[in-house]
Amino acid sequence: MGLEIERKFLVPELPSALPCPQHICQGYICDDPMRVVRIRAIDDRAYLTVKGKTEQTTRQEFEYSIPLEDARQLLSTICLRPVIEKDRFSIEYQGFLWVVDRFSGENAGLILAEIELETEDQAFALPPWIGQEVSQDPRYFNSNLIAAPYCSWQTP
């Protein structure tokens, strides 16, 4: 069984020196409080991911490679709308890999950073460009950005 332990933070402003981003297009076939089924296309690769309910900062996660053309078909015909589009930057900081997502489309203006951990209580240093933690705020779950895109929030 795969487990994902993840902490999520707002990023008020991207750091100045960034690596080249990956473009991600992802959609949800099933968006339920107990489970999500996601299709994700990253540049020239694609994945089907099944995630269980989040408890604190942990949930079950299973991910499988699928053909890119299948992913594109699912994204354009079956996935819920809107499809999430974002550019992802991978940044190493003090021995940890941070992924920073700059959203576009209906979620433009939102920038989130995530760090995956081995245990919920694992210590790590925060980069200087990190803002408020939103790990337990469901509004910031990618699957919830479909029903309530960032551009629709009264006070982001």
Side-chain angles (χ1 to χ4, degrees):
M1 169 174 54
L3 284 180
E4 174 185 62
I5 301 171
E6 181 178 83
R7 304 266 302 266
K8 190 177 294 216
F9 299 83
L10 293 174
V11 177
E13 189 174 319
L14 284 172
S16 56
L18 290 171
C20 291
Q22 295 177 305
H23 183 71
I24 297 175
C25 183
Q26 71 186 40
Y28 292 83
I29 294 173
C30 173
D31 176 23
D32 178 283
M34 298 302 290
R35 69 198 55 82
V36 297
V37 179
R38 175 185 78 199
I39 300 296
R40 178 182 275 176
I42 305 173
D43 297 328
D44 61 349
R45 300 175 321 279
Y47 303 91
L48 167 76
T49 305
V50 179
K51 295 186 179 195
K53 182 180 185 210
T54 301
E55 300 288 341
Q56 301 297 323
T57 57
T58 304
R59 63 181 163 183
Q60 294 180 28
E61 179 183 64
F62 304 89
E63 187 167 81
Y64 308 95
S65 294
I66 63 171
L68 181 59
E69 286 308 313
D70 289 0
R72 287 181 176 152
Q73 177 97 18
L74 290 165
L75 286 163
S76 67
T77 61
I78 294 178
C79 289
L80 301 168
R81 297 285 178 248
V83 170
I84 304 289
E85 299 228 26
K86 56 190 177 181
D87 288 322
R88 172 166 285 176
F89 304 89
S90 296
I91 303 170
E92 287 194 35
Y93 183 79
Q94 294 193 10
F96 287 90
L97 180 64
W98 290 80
V99 293
V100 179
D101 292 336
R102 178 180 57 203
F103 291 81
S104 56
E106 294 191 43
N107 292 295
L110 178 60
I111 305 172
L112 293 173
E114 299 174 355
I115 183 172
E116 287 199 20
L117 303 170
E118 294 187 20
T119 63
E120 286 192 354
D121 60 352
Q122 184 175 3
F124 59 93
L126 292 174
W129 37 265
I130 287 292
Q132 174 187 350
E133 182 169 6
V134 293
S135 299
Q136 304 212 12
D137 187 337
R139 294 178 304 162
Y140 293 97
F141 296 172
N142 280 262
S143 57
N144 289 341
L145 291 172
I146 295 168
Y150 187 69
C151 68
S152 71
W153 298 6
Q154 293 286 338
T155 53

